Amino acid sequence: MATPSMEDYLERIYKLIDEKGYARVSDIAEGLEVHPSSVTKMIQKLDKDKYLVYEKYRGLILTPKGKKMGKRLVDRHALLEEFLTVIGVQEANIYGDVEGIEHHLSWDSMTCIETLIEYFNRDPKRLEDLRGVRAELDNNSGPE
């Protein structure tokens, strides 16, 4: 089972490979705002756990297990961003909120969130109703 830290690395590596075709230690370190030595240690752990194959000075490749997990993590992140957008969270807060909650939700919860998004997407009137309720609450919760 991957730890939240391992998930962050796998998600970043997957995105880099998807965007650039490769993932360098320096790119991973920059994206996660960690030291390259920390990246090297985690890459060795991910190699040991069969998420990727790492050869010093030659780079890394994701194994099928690593690709599957990386895609799942990227999809989870995107789903949570969409969910927070749909329910009306301010755009400036979305990224930080997703980073704060993504490791704390079960895959069952993610499936329920996905279902809820689909529910709203199937009928735009539902989304209008949700936004109307939010506006009512905002208007009624002001200072007295």
Side-chain angles (χ1 to χ4, degrees), residues 19-46:
E19 292 165 5
K20 299 169 89 172
Y22 59 90
R24 295 184 314 208
V25 168
S26 59
D27 295 328
I28 299 165
E30 182 181 325
L32 295 175
E33 299 178 349
V34 297
H35 291 285
S37 59
S38 299
V39 174
T40 301
K41 285 179 191 169
M42 181 58 79
I43 285 174
Q44 290 167 344
K45 179 163 181 38
L46 292 169

Side-chain angles (χ1 to χ4, degrees), residues 18 27-28 39 49 72 79 89 98 106 111 124 127 140 144:
D18 187 50
D27 295 328
I28 299 165
V39 174
D49 291 349
R72 193 172 188 197
L79 180 66
V89 174
V98 169
S106 67
T111 299
L127 196 51
N140 292 332
E144 295 189 21

Side-chain angles (χ1 to χ4, degrees), residues 24-85:
R24 295 184 314 208
V25 168
S26 59
D27 295 328
I28 299 165
E30 182 181 325
L32 295 175
E33 299 178 349
V34 297
H35 291 285
S37 59
S38 299
V39 174
T40 301
K41 285 179 191 169
M42 181 58 79
I43 285 174
Q44 290 167 344
K45 179 163 181 38
L46 292 169
D47 185 7
K48 181 176 161 264
D49 291 349
K50 309 274 191 259
Y51 287 103
L52 55 81
V53 176
Y54 174 64
E55 293 181 32
K56 198 171 183 180
Y57 307 116
R58 298 200 63 195
L60 61 92
I61 58 166
L62 290 170
T63 63
K65 175 182 175 180
K67 285 180 187 173
K68 181 179 178 182
M69 179 61 88
K71 180 171 180 2
R72 193 172 188 197
L73 296 169
V74 167
D75 290 348
R76 174 180 72 183
H77 193 102
L79 180 66
L80 287 171
E81 284 184 355
E82 182 180 5
F83 173 65
L84 295 180
T85 300

Side-chain angles (χ1 to χ4, degrees), residues 29 34 40 74 79 91 102 106 109 114 120 135 137 139:
V34 297
T40 301
V74 167
L79 180 66
E91 189 174 335
E102 68 183 338
S106 67
S109 292
E114 185 174 32
F120 284 117
L137 291 173
N139 290 334

